[in-house]
Amino acid sequence: MSALPSDLEIARAARIRPIGDIAAAAGVNADALEQYGRYKAKIDPARLTAPAPHGKVVLVSAMSPTPAGEGKSTTTVGLADSLARAGHKVMIALREPSLGPVLGMKGGATGGGYSQVLPMDEINLHFTGDFHAITSANNALMALVDNHIYQGNALNIDPRRMTFKRVLDMNDRSLREVVIGLGGPTQGVPRQDGFDITVASEIMAVFCLATDLADLRSRLGRITFGYTYDRAPVTVADLGVEGALTLLLKEAVKPNLVQTIAGTPALVHGGPFANIAHGCNSLIATQTARRLADIVVTEAGFGADLGAEKFMDIKARYGGLAPSAVVVVATVRALKMQGGVAKDQLGRPDVAALEAGVVNLRRHVHNVEKFGVTPVVAINKFSSDAPEELDWLLKWCAAEGVRAAVADVWGRGGGGDGGDELAALVAQAVEAPSSFRHLYPLELSVEDKIRTIAQEIYGADGVDFSVPALKRLADIERNGWGSMPVCMAKTQYSFTDDASRLGAPKGFTIHVRDLLPKTGAGFIVALTGAVMTMPGLPAVPAALRMDVDADGNPVGLT
């Protein structure tokens, strides 16, 4: 039996159409299209002649991720291709990959097998430069802040109370804590600083929640980067540089148009992480897709406890949109791992382990129902899945009253029939009546919003706030920020803040160690457990297998 081709080999063998053809078929008028070579382009929403947003949104989420892999992006692409194959006018809206995970452990984020967006190598690397622009805007802000302090500090900024860091689009643990300004009086004012990864920057969150260029400028101006010696917040507007930051982002904020192997148009734009940020592609891209298509298939990061909850309570709230259906991706392999099976034993049929691990899927599915949206379970098929395991899982879903289908979109995607059954179920769910609602009203206190998420979504008994977090709660109320939604920063691997607790744990407490007001993005980040805003690289980074061949073609990308 010959080895299956890699994702990169499949992508390189695919027939890719000129992006102008994809744009024309999607209804993008020529004046709104800005090409970046033959296969990538940006769309200027201000020049788009398509009508107001009308397309229905299908959100793709998942069970809690495991090292076994769930294939959420692959399912997103395969589902969209299958909906298009069934005659629906479809567009995809995805996040852009971050270089840190691409070169680290996670790999790329363009789907897999025959359900990929192309050109996968360019999307996974520098793409159209959006992340570079966001990194530059973030670091320009901090250069301007430190220069203001050095030049006399008219705003009375306290260097000890800075809440904004520099960023880099790379997993680099050595930059988590640094000291700057050393070397004498002409080198600046010494202070403790640090780096976050670009996808954790508030400018990334602002970029992804802005509705247009004017809203982007306004949100940038509202960013709080620190406090005065009198403990009053200091904003970008106080510094007077929101215009310069907008200038750096004015081209990046236009959504990027690419295509799937099957030729389905896809907007890939923005990319906040879902464990340390809100985990959704840009609102501008989603709304642009809704202007061009009848169904928009989009994705939220990690499991439904993180990305999907934040989509519902943050992105949907600010965007004035409501998902018509939510797909929860699960795999037999991941469910067995949730049931206690080691990764190297997952190839063995084990219905008992599947039964033990399915509690994780149950909690995610029922959580989706709390938002008044119809869940559909997509069982992403792997070649190692035994027929009896797939049959058991389908029967379990039926017993739970949940629509479910096996999707073989890795091997039978690209316009094939591997996702037809799933697409049919999703099309039915989209047309069914729904009553979307947020999990909590904004009038609740920040403390009660956190408790609501912890108890209703995670299944926690309660929440423990550290002394610093309690002080921050008082600051938030004093500064009038209490009406913002909450963005939980939590491990993606567990409903708890302990990554080792799999399944659907009970009898636990969520520990909030700090709160970070993101006044430009418009949410409060609650830091729990040991989650890091600057990840590190693994012992064997993916970068070690990457190269280019003699013709300049990429090698080793996944």
Side-chain angles (χ1 to χ4, degrees):
M1 181 178 176
S2 60
L4 293 171
S6 68
D7 290 346
L8 183 57
E9 289 169 335
I10 291 171
R12 286 179 59 184
R15 176 184 172 270
I16 186 166
R17 295 167 58 190
I19 198 63
D21 294 351
I22 298 295
V28 179
N29 50 292
D31 286 349
L33 193 70
E34 301 173 4
Q35 293 197 198
Y36 279 62
R38 295 188 65 194
Y39 306 120
K40 308 186 299 289
K42 279 187 171 289
I43 297 175
D44 185 347
R47 292 178 176 270
L48 198 62
T49 58
H54 67 277
K56 295 187 176 182
V57 175
V58 174
L59 176 65
V60 179
S61 188
M63 59 178 286
S64 299
T66 70
E70 287 69 54
K72 187 164 75 265
S73 296
T74 301
T75 303
T76 299
V77 175
L79 169 61
D81 284 344
S82 297
L83 285 166
R85 169 182 155 90
H88 300 280
K89 189 173 184 182
V90 182
M91 184 169 271
I92 298 169
L94 292 175
R95 293 174 296 162
E96 297 180 50
S98 168
L99 275 178
V102 168
L103 297 179
M105 181 172 66
K106 185 176 181 288
T110 58
Y114 292 92
S115 293
Q116 297 186 56
V117 286
L118 305 174
M120 71 89 87
D121 56 326
E122 297 179 33
I123 297 169
N124 279 319
L125 298 175
H126 303 286
F127 202 16
T128 58
D130 295 347
F131 279 26
H132 298 296
I134 292 166
T135 302
S136 296
N138 186 107
N139 294 342
L141 169 60
M142 295 319 297
L144 291 160
V145 168
D146 281 308
N147 180 64
H148 178 91
I149 295 171
Y150 174 75
Q151 300 291 353
N153 200 6
L155 289 174
N156 199 34
I157 300 166
D158 186 345
R160 303 165 302 171
R161 292 192 170 90
M162 303 293 288
T163 57
F164 214 87
K165 295 182 178 182
R166 288 165 165 84
V167 298
L168 188 71
D169 189 30
M170 184 52 55
N171 295 1
D172 192 347
R173 61 172 58 84
S174 62
L175 293 178
R176 287 173 183 160
E177 299 290 341
V178 300
V179 177
I180 62 172
L182 299 180
T186 62
Q187 306 304 313
V189 177
R191 69 176 181 88
Q192 185 176 356
D193 197 6
F195 280 74
D196 289 334
I197 191 166
T198 296
V199 291
S201 168
E202 184 175 357
I203 291 183
M204 175 66 83
V206 164
F207 181 92
C208 287
L209 289 171
T211 55
D212 54 28
L213 196 62
D215 187 45
L216 175 67
R217 189 182 191 278
S218 177
R219 285 177 176 274
L220 289 169
R222 295 199 299 269
I223 290 174
T224 299
F225 60 79
Y227 296 84
T228 67
Y229 284 101
D230 299 325
R231 300 195 179 188
V234 190
T235 68
V236 169
D238 294 330
L239 195 63
V241 299
E242 66 270 33
L245 302 187
T246 306
L247 178 63
L248 289 171
L249 297 171
K250 73 180 183 67
E251 297 304 314
V253 79
K254 300 170 184 176
N256 305 301
L257 177 67
V258 287
Q259 63 189 283
T260 71
I261 288 175
T264 304
L267 296 180
V268 180
H269 196 225
F273 277 178
N275 56 345
I276 54 181
H278 73 281
C280 309
N281 68 276
S282 79
L283 182 57
I284 289 176
T286 301
Q287 296 292 56
T288 299
R290 292 184 64 220
R291 293 173 67 179
L292 294 165
D294 297 327
I295 298 178
V296 176
V297 184
T298 190
E299 179 187 300
F302 295 126
D305 58 324
L306 289 169
E309 185 274 317
K310 294 169 185 179
F311 183 99
M312 310 289 196
D313 284 321
I314 298 175
K315 179 174 178 175
R317 199 187 299 261
Y318 282 125
L321 56 85
S324 297
V326 175
V327 175
V328 182
V329 179
T331 68
V332 166
R333 290 166 53 85
L335 287 169
K336 289 193 292 187
M337 204 164 194
Q338 292 286 346
V341 176
K343 185 178 179 181
D344 60 0
Q345 300 296 312
L346 291 175
R348 297 181 180 178
D350 191 338
V351 172
L354 189 60
E355 186 173 0
V358 81
V359 292
N360 183 270
L361 178 60
R362 175 187 283 122
R363 184 171 291 178
H364 283 296
V365 166
H366 292 324
N367 282 345
V368 167
E369 293 172 339
K370 292 178 181 180
F371 294 95
V373 185
T374 302
V376 177
V377 171
I379 304 170
N380 185 22
K381 185 180 179 182
F382 280 65
S383 59
S384 61
D385 297 343
E388 63 266 27
E389 293 174 321
L390 294 170
D391 289 344
W392 185 91
L393 187 52
L394 284 170
K395 290 176 181 176
W396 178 88
C397 290
E400 292 285 317
V402 178
R403 307 178 194 192
V406 175
D408 186 7
V409 293
W410 192 97
R412 289 160 56 198
D417 63 356
D420 284 359
E421 187 177 352
L422 174 63
L425 292 179
V426 170
Q428 292 171 14
V430 163
E431 295 303 323
S434 63
S435 54
F436 173 70
R437 55 186 175 270
H438 303 297
L439 187 68
Y440 53 79
L442 293 180
E443 293 73 25
L444 276 185
S445 68
V446 172
E447 189 173 355
D448 285 341
K449 290 169 192 166
I450 293 171
R451 284 202 176 93
T452 299
I453 296 169
Q455 293 173 342
E456 291 294 323
I457 301 299
Y458 306 157
D461 289 341
V463 180
D464 175 63
F465 293 88
S466 71
V467 172
L470 289 172
K471 290 180 179 177
R472 194 79 74 176
L473 278 171
D475 290 341
I476 288 167
E477 292 302 322
R478 183 172 61 252
N479 289 312
W481 298 330
S483 62
M484 291 191 286
V486 167
C487 180
M488 300 293 291
K490 181 185 73 69
T491 176
Q492 65 267 36
Y493 297 114
S494 174
F495 281 110
T496 75
D497 51 24
D498 177 357
S500 66
R501 296 191 66 178
L502 304 182
K506 297 180 180 179
F508 66 91
T509 299
I510 292 291
H511 303 89
V512 176
R513 56 183 172 86
D514 203 358
L515 296 163
L516 304 177
K518 303 293 185 179
T519 52
F523 54 68
I524 307 292
V525 175
L527 293 170
T528 72
V531 67
M532 293 287 184
T533 53
M534 170 55 89
L537 292 168
V540 184
L544 296 180
R545 64 173 178 266
M546 295 179 184
D547 205 339
V548 291
D549 64 20
D551 296 321
N553 296 310
V555 174
L557 272 174
T558 58

